[in-house]
């Protein structure tokens, strides 16, 4: 029998004998290197034998696995690795099939060591660049198996970690092998991404809890995203969103933010807007989810916008802000109604007001973060866009009616104005006219006349951000400042045009803002800052004169008792006027002017410290019970200021003219307490603006007693509001119907005049039903005036 075996062995094919010779008698001795070199030389010399070598090695390996001869299994895999590294001929495809078959055999084993061995061999194979593509090779099994290994729950933690790391390396190898091979099955298909991405995120999350291959996972995840082309971004990001949803990971925020930081830093920068659009769509899809989930998505959006700082938020910039503003409005409705569907039945989901407030603040911060990534011209468009969403006093509310009623409208106004505060923060432009068109500035200023103190303060903050172009605003935080530290540039031609167009509006709103009884310390400090910024940013000689006149008018306002201003408000107005005149005298550097201002301030320090900012704008101001005797040396004199500034070339005629604000219909429309009042006032204003009354010019307003006019206006407004609040519905409907009938009759008269043909000199004849028809008259019978005949 031995002789027969020996004889048969000699007759075996040479490649089998070369393969058998690489295995030692004792597997612990390892691969026989000399024989391995002979096998490699033979494979290179006869590449057509590679597929047979691979098939025979695969056969031996399968037999050794079945017999648990793991030493020989390792030797077989080592031989396969060396042959793969050495051979790059056209016939390697068939050899690879045998190789992958053996790797699959190892991965199917329940032995961790064999799984790791097979993975290591696959990774080596993945790093080889093949000369010829493969048309029929499939990696579906490897994607599934490596993903399964990433979720290993082996009892021994060390072995479990090794298996998971092997799975991650295997997925990395699959991506490297297939991502650039157009003939392979597309690794970016959802069926593959839905396995690869969650497996990586699972290990990334497990590593945060202690242990785990975090660095390897993150490196693999970054490599995957870095290879994603434009059309593959969505398939790569969607599984991330689903994983965060399924495992409730939005509420913690930390892990979700980390995931998208990896995504944003890994993908190509020009693809950033695709990720942002997916996040926006996901936010919309979760509109009725809990506030904590929505807040988590918004926080991720905030971080993503900060990373995409190049301004690459895509071609649909306004879509970003539209989605965020829509979420802001929905959150306000949820908070006030307590329900996601607007009904009183809350159901299983309980809405927590404080969580909705946190969400609203997050949305506002995100809006500001997006705006900071935009160039100036786009930021101006966003400002106009947001302004168009705010229900403006006196105009039609642009936002649709909500179930939250007037309170919801007021909250939406506040939230959108807060958003504008974020958008305008750091806003700088060289041309104020183009950056702040009337379509934005006029609706904004109308809000400074509302009775809501929070709304007025937000408007002032927006104005400060828009006007401050040299970072002077912080220097006015403490009213006791030194003007030498301010940055003052020469007023440009565009600035002069801006003040010519909008200066009087700004002065008027500052004056009326000081008259508000609900104004507090913060309002007056902000109004002073606005006066100061106008002086250093947009002031020429004419503007300086107007601002001095305005300050003196504020002093007169504080002296009058007809406005029923509280003592604190009157003292605060005195303090604002004093602080501003002190500032402007330092900026104009006219010695006589400075002397007069400083003399008055010194008298106030001795006799009336409650008229100075350092005693008024404090936490516990010491104020008198009344301000009956404010006269003499504690007042700034318009005549004296006109005299000293006139000697330095200023317009004395303009300085001697007291400033009087012009009152318009905007004041009446803005001063409303409800939407119903706004509508009634609009109806009244329309009736007063009839053609018969258009002849009244604006100069008449200056000659009328302002105080008496306001009293009459207040009483008329009270009567109108009371009528619409208390009158029966039938009476209101009849009133409106009568107005509609009168309007229709007027229209009929106009239509009759414009449609009816002009009278003909040939005359008319009557026909049936009261109609008239033209009668044909020969031209020689017509009678023309003498002037028409020559």
């Amino acid at each position: 029998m031995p002789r027969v075996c020996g004889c048969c062995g000699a007759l075996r094919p040479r490649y089998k004998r070369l393969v058998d010779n690489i295995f030692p008698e004792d597997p612990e001795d390892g691969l026989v290197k000399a024989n391995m070199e002979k096998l490699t030389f033979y494979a290179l010399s006869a590449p057509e034998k590679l597929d047979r070598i691979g098939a025979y090695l695969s056969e031996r390996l399968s037999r050794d696995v079945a017999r648990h001869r793991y030493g020989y299994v390792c030797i077989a895999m080592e031989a396969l690795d060396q042959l793969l590294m050495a051979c790059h001929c056209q016939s390697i495809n068939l050899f690879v099939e045998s190789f992958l078959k053996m790797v699959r055999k190892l991965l199917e084993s329940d032995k961790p060591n064999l799984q790791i061995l097979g993975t290591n061999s696959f990774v080596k194979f993945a790093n080889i660049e093949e000369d010829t593509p493969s048309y029929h090779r499939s990696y579906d099994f490897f994607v599934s198996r490596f993903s399964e290994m990433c979720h290993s729950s082996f009892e021994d933690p060390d072995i479990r970690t090794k298996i998971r790391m092997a799975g991650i390396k295997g997925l990395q190898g699959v991506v490297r092998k297939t991502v650039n091979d157009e003939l392979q099955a597309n690794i970016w298909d959802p069926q593959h991404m839905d396995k690869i991405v969650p497996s990586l995120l699972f290990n990334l999350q497990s590593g945060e809890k202690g242990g785990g291959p975090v660095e390897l996972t993150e490196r693999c995840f970054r490599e995957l995203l870095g290879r994603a082309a434009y059309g593959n971004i969505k398939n790569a990001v969607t599984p991330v969103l689903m994983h965060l949803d399924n495992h409730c990971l939005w509420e913690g925020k930390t892990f979700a933010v980390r995931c998208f930081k990896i995504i944003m830093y890994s993908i190509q920068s020009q693809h950033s807007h695709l990720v942002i659009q997916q996040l926006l769509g996901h936010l919309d899809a979760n509109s009725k989810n809990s506030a904590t989930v929505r807040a988590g998505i918004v926080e991720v959006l905030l971080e993503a916008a900060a990373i995409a700082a190049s301004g690459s938020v895509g071609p649909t910039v306004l879509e970003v802000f539209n989605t965020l503003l829509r979420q802001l409005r929905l959150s306000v409705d949820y908070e006030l109604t307590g329900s996601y569907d607007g009904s009183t039945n809350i159901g299983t989901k309980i809405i927590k007001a404080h969580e909705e407030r946190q969400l609203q603040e997050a949305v506002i911060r995100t809006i500001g973060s997006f705006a900071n990534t935009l160039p100036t011209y786009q930021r101006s468009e966003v400002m106009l866009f947001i302004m168009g969403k705010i229900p403006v006093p006196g105009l039609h509310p642009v936002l649709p009616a909500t179930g939250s009623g007037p309170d919801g409208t007021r909250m939406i106004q506040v939230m959108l104005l807060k958003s504008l505060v974020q958008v305008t923060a750091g806003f700088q432009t060289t041309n104020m006219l183009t950056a702040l068109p009337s379509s934005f500035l006029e609706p904004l200023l109308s809000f400074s006349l509302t009775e809501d103190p929070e709304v007025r303060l937000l408007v002032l903050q927006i104005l400060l951000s828009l006007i401050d172009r040299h970072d002077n605003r912080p220097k006015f935080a403490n009213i006791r400042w030194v003007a030498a530290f301010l940055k003052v540039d020469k007023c440009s031609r565009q600035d002069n045009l801006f003040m010519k167009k909008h200066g009087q509006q700004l002065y008027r709103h500052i004056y009326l803002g000081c008259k508000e009884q609900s104004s507090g310390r913060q309002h007056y400090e902000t109004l002073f800052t606005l006066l100061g910024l106008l002086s250093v940013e947009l002031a020429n000689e004419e503007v300086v004169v107007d601002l001095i006149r305005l300050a003196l008018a504020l002093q007169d306002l504080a002296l009058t008792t007809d406005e029923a201003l509280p003592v604190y408000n009157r003292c605060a107005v005195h303090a604002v006027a004093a602080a501003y005149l002190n500032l402007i005298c330092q900026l104009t550097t006219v010695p006589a002017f400075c002397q007069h201002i400083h003399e008055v301030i010194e008298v106030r320090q001795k006799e009336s410290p409650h008229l100075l900012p350092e005693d008024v704008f404090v936490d516990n101001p010491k104020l008198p019970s009344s301000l009956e005797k404010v006269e003499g040396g504690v007042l700034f004199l318009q005549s004296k200021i006109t005299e000293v500034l006139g000697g330095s070339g200023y317009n004395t005629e303009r300085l001697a003219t007291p400033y009087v604000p012009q009152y318009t219909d905007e004041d009446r429309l803005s001063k409303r307490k409800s939407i119903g009042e706004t509508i009634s006032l609009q109806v009244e204003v329309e009736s007063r603006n009839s053609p018969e009354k258009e002849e009244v010019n604006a100069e008449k307003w200056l000659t009328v007693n302002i105080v008496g006019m306001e009293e009459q206006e207040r009483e008329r407004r009270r009567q109108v509001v009371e009528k619409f609040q208390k009158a029966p519905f039938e009476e209101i409907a009849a009133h409106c119907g009568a107005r509609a009938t009168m309007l229709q009759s007027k229209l009929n008269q106009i239509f009759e005049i414009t449609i009816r043909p002009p009278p003909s000199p040939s005359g008319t004849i009557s026909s049936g039903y009261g109609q008239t028809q033209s009668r044909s008259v020969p031209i020689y019978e017509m009678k023309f005036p003498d002037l028409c005949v020559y």
Side-chain angles (χ1 to χ4, degrees):
M1 289 297 294
R3 291 180 182 178
V4 174
C5 291
C7 179
C8 292
L11 295 175
R12 300 179 71 194
R14 184 182 179 190
Y15 74 90
K16 286 189 176 182
R17 285 186 278 121
L18 289 173
V19 170
D20 291 338
N21 291 337
I22 68 173
F23 292 93
E25 293 183 2
D26 186 358
E28 293 183 2
D29 294 338
L31 184 68
V32 180
K33 295 183 179 180
N35 293 338
M36 186 64 214
E37 292 176 0
K38 294 178 183 179
L39 177 62
T40 303
F41 179 78
Y42 176 78
L44 292 172
S45 303
E48 69 277 3
K49 301 292 186 180
L50 257 178
D51 59 329
R52 298 183 184 181
I53 295 173
Y56 184 60
L57 274 170
S58 176
E59 180 186 341
R60 286 204 53 151
L61 183 135
S62 299
R63 186 170 63 247
D64 291 335
V65 169
R67 296 176 179 178
H68 306 288
R69 300 170 64 179
Y70 300 127
Y72 289 122
V73 171
C74 295
I75 293 173
M77 292 307 301
E78 185 178 354
L80 284 168
D81 294 343
Q82 292 191 23
L83 287 173
L84 275 175
M85 299 298 292
C87 302
H88 294 275
C89 61
Q90 295 181 355
S91 304
I92 197 175
N93 276 332
L94 295 177
F95 177 75
V96 169
E97 292 302 324
S98 300
F99 168 78
L100 293 178
K101 181 179 179 181
M102 293 191 299
V103 171
R104 178 168 182 167
K105 187 73 174 178
L106 295 178
L107 293 176
E108 289 175 341
S109 171
D110 57 352
K111 300 293 182 181
N113 292 337
L114 295 185
Q115 296 174 14
I116 295 172
L117 178 63
T119 302
N120 292 337
S121 294
F122 181 85
V123 170
K124 292 177 183 177
F125 160 71
N127 293 326
I128 297 175
E129 295 184 5
E130 300 182 51
D131 295 335
T132 56
S134 174
Y135 294 87
H136 58 280
R137 195 180 300 162
S138 174
Y139 293 96
D140 293 359
F141 165 79
F142 295 99
V143 171
S144 300
R145 183 57 182 149
F146 288 138
S147 299
E148 184 180 349
M149 291 170 63
C150 289
H151 292 83
S152 173
S153 57
F154 202 85
E155 294 181 359
D156 189 331
D158 293 334
I159 297 178
R160 181 172 63 240
T161 300
K162 290 180 180 179
I163 296 175
R164 290 184 180 181
M165 291 186 69
I168 296 168
K169 290 179 181 178
L171 290 177
Q172 189 177 30
V174 172
V175 172
R176 288 179 180 177
K177 198 65 180 175
T178 59
V179 73
N180 294 323
D181 192 347
E182 296 180 357
L183 299 175
Q184 297 293 342
N186 192 356
I187 197 66
W188 301 106
D189 285 345
Q191 60 178 342
H192 300 308
M193 284 291 104
D194 290 347
K195 297 175 183 177
I196 294 174
V197 173
S199 300
L200 297 176
L201 296 180
F202 172 76
N203 282 277
L204 200 62
Q205 182 187 1
S206 299
E208 288 187 342
K209 300 176 181 178
V214 180
E215 294 183 4
L216 176 63
T217 305
E218 184 172 334
R219 189 163 60 248
C220 180
F221 193 30
R222 289 182 183 277
E223 182 177 346
L224 174 69
L225 296 166
R227 295 174 180 268
Y230 181 88
N232 301 326
I233 293 293
K234 182 178 180 180
N235 288 347
V237 175
T238 300
V240 178
L241 299 174
M242 299 305 296
H243 182 83
L244 296 175
D245 285 343
N246 296 335
H247 296 276
C248 303
L249 296 174
W250 291 111
E251 299 180 7
K253 299 178 185 178
T254 305
F255 181 71
V257 168
R258 182 184 179 189
C259 287
F260 276 89
K261 278 187 175 181
I262 294 174
I263 293 172
M264 297 300 293
Y265 281 120
S266 300
I267 62 175
Q268 301 176 41
S269 58
Q270 65 268 27
H271 300 160
S272 298
H273 67 278
L274 296 176
V275 179
I276 291 174
Q277 286 179 349
Q278 276 192 265
L279 282 169
L280 290 170
H282 200 66
L283 181 59
D284 275 342
N286 284 272
S287 293
K288 292 189 177 181
N289 212 325
S290 66
T292 52
V293 171
R294 285 176 282 138
I297 301 175
V298 171
E299 289 287 348
V300 171
L301 269 169
L302 177 64
E303 296 294 336
I307 295 172
S310 60
S312 175
V313 293
T316 56
V317 174
L318 296 183
E319 178 187 349
V320 175
F321 294 94
N322 192 36
T323 300
L324 292 173
L325 294 178
R326 183 166 59 249
Q327 292 298 322
L328 199 60
R329 179 175 61 84
L330 287 174
S331 179
V332 169
D333 289 347
Y334 295 160
E335 178 184 349
L336 293 177
T337 62
S339 172
Y340 289 117
D341 55 4
S343 64
T344 56
N345 183 16
I346 296 178
T348 58
K349 295 183 178 179
I350 300 176
I351 295 178
K352 299 179 180 178
H354 71 279
E355 291 181 352
E356 293 294 341
R357 286 293 177 92
Q358 292 173 358
L359 168 65
Q360 293 158 15
E361 295 298 327
V363 171
I364 291 172
R365 289 196 307 271
T366 305
I367 289 173
S369 179
F370 269 108
N372 290 333
T373 67
L374 300 175
T376 301
Y377 74 93
Q378 280 189 325
R379 200 188 291 201
S380 299
E381 292 178 0
V382 172
M383 289 159 50
L384 281 170
F385 181 74
I386 296 177
M387 180 58 69
K389 295 287 185 180
I390 307 178
V392 182
L395 301 177
H396 60 86
V398 179
L399 286 174
T402 62
S404 50
D407 290 339
T409 301
R410 185 259 173 193
M411 283 187 64
I412 291 172
Q413 289 177 350
V414 172
M415 294 299 168
L416 295 183
L417 286 172
K418 285 184 177 180
S419 301
L420 274 177
V421 171
Q422 292 290 326
V423 172
T424 56
F427 180 81
Q428 293 186 357
T429 179
T430 56
N431 193 337
M432 297 285 287
L433 277 174
T434 57
L436 298 177
S438 300
S439 56
F440 173 80
L441 195 59
E442 291 178 1
L444 177 67
L445 290 176
S446 69
F447 278 104
S448 67
L449 303 176
T450 60
E451 294 182 347
D452 192 324
E454 184 179 5
V455 170
R456 296 201 309 272
L457 187 60
L458 289 171
V459 172
L460 290 173
Q461 292 174 354
I462 293 169
L463 286 173
L464 296 184
S465 297
L466 296 173
I467 295 174
D468 184 19
R469 294 173 291 178
H470 296 87
D471 297 326
N472 284 316
R473 181 178 175 181
K475 299 167 187 175
F476 292 100
N478 187 351
I479 282 191
R480 291 171 290 184
W481 34 255
V482 179
F485 293 109
L486 298 173
K487 295 180 181 178
V488 184
D489 285 348
K490 185 178 179 181
C491 193
S492 66
R493 179 175 175 274
Q494 290 85 357
D495 294 342
N496 290 333
L497 292 174
F498 177 81
M499 290 305 292
K500 278 186 176 296
K501 185 174 183 180
H502 299 293
Q504 293 301 323
Q505 287 178 291
L506 294 171
Y507 307 150
R508 173 170 162 271
H509 285 76
I510 292 173
Y511 183 88
L512 296 178
C514 289
K515 282 182 61 175
E516 291 291 342
Q517 297 183 13
S518 59
S519 292
R521 171 184 173 181
Q522 199 170 0
H523 291 83
Y524 289 111
E525 290 179 339
T526 310
L527 286 167
F528 165 73
T529 304
L530 179 57
L531 284 167
L533 288 177
L534 288 174
S535 301
V536 299
E537 293 283 351
L538 299 169
N540 52 27
E541 183 177 318
E542 182 179 346
V543 172
V544 169
V545 170
D546 284 339
L547 289 173
I548 293 174
R549 292 171 58 224
L550 176 59
L552 293 171
L554 292 178
Q555 178 178 260
D556 294 339
L557 170 65
L559 290 173
T560 182
T561 58
D562 297 330
E563 296 295 338
L565 281 176
V567 173
Y568 176 82
N569 295 59
R570 294 172 65 187
C571 291
V573 173
H574 275 297
V576 168
Y580 176 71
L581 289 173
N582 186 32
L583 167 66
I584 201 67
C585 78
Q586 296 182 59
L587 294 177
T588 55
T589 63
V590 178
F593 181 35
C594 295
Q595 182 180 359
H596 173 65
I597 301 301
H598 292 159
E599 286 176 354
V600 173
I601 290 176
E602 288 177 1
V603 174
R604 289 189 178 188
Q605 288 174 341
K606 295 178 182 179
E607 301 178 4
S608 304
H610 54 273
L611 303 182
L612 294 175
E614 50 265 29
D615 276 39
V616 176
F617 302 128
V618 293
D619 294 335
N620 296 308
K622 297 179 181 179
L623 304 177
S625 57
S626 64
L627 291 177
E628 296 180 356
K629 296 182 180 180
V630 180
E631 55 189 7
V634 298
L635 297 179
F636 302 99
L637 302 179
Q638 184 158 4
S639 58
K640 179 68 174 178
I641 293 175
T642 303
E643 177 186 350
V644 296
L645 288 180
S648 298
Y650 287 86
N651 188 335
T652 56
E653 182 179 355
R654 192 171 181 84
L655 278 168
T657 305
Y659 171 79
V660 179
Q662 297 182 12
Y663 289 81
T664 66
D665 292 335
E666 180 187 12
D667 302 331
R668 294 190 296 275
L669 291 176
S670 298
K671 293 293 185 180
R672 85 262 187 253
K673 297 180 181 179
S674 68
I675 296 178
E677 183 178 347
T678 302
I679 297 173
S680 65
L681 290 177
Q682 283 179 303
V683 171
E684 194 67 22
V685 169
E686 289 173 0
S687 65
R688 296 180 61 177
N689 289 342
S690 58
E692 292 80 1
K693 296 187 178 182
E694 286 183 354
E695 297 178 357
V696 180
N697 55 29
E699 294 180 359
K700 185 176 179 180
W701 290 97
L702 298 177
T703 59
V704 177
N705 186 337
I706 297 175
V707 177
M709 182 187 66
E710 286 191 343
E711 289 295 336
Q712 294 175 5
E713 180 64 28
R714 197 176 291 114
E715 178 62 22
R716 184 194 62 79
R717 186 170 59 197
R718 187 190 63 78
Q719 293 175 359
V720 171
V721 174
E722 184 177 359
K723 176 180 178 181
F724 274 84
Q725 288 179 344
K726 297 182 179 180
F729 176 77
E730 293 78 7
E731 181 180 343
I732 298 175
H735 174 73
C736 295
R739 289 177 53 84
T741 304
M742 181 176 63
L743 175 63
Q744 187 62 45
S745 64
K746 294 290 185 182
L747 288 174
N748 292 336
Q749 294 177 15
I750 295 171
F751 291 150
E752 184 180 357
I753 294 172
T754 56
I755 297 174
R756 188 180 62 192
S760 171
S762 62
T764 59
I765 59 175
S766 61
S767 62
Y769 303 101
Q771 298 179 352
T772 60
Q773 294 180 347
S774 298
R775 178 171 59 88
S776 178
V777 178
I779 194 169
Y780 54 81
E781 292 184 4
M782 294 181 183
K783 295 182 180 180
F784 294 95
D786 294 339
L787 294 177
C788 295
V789 180
Y790 60 93

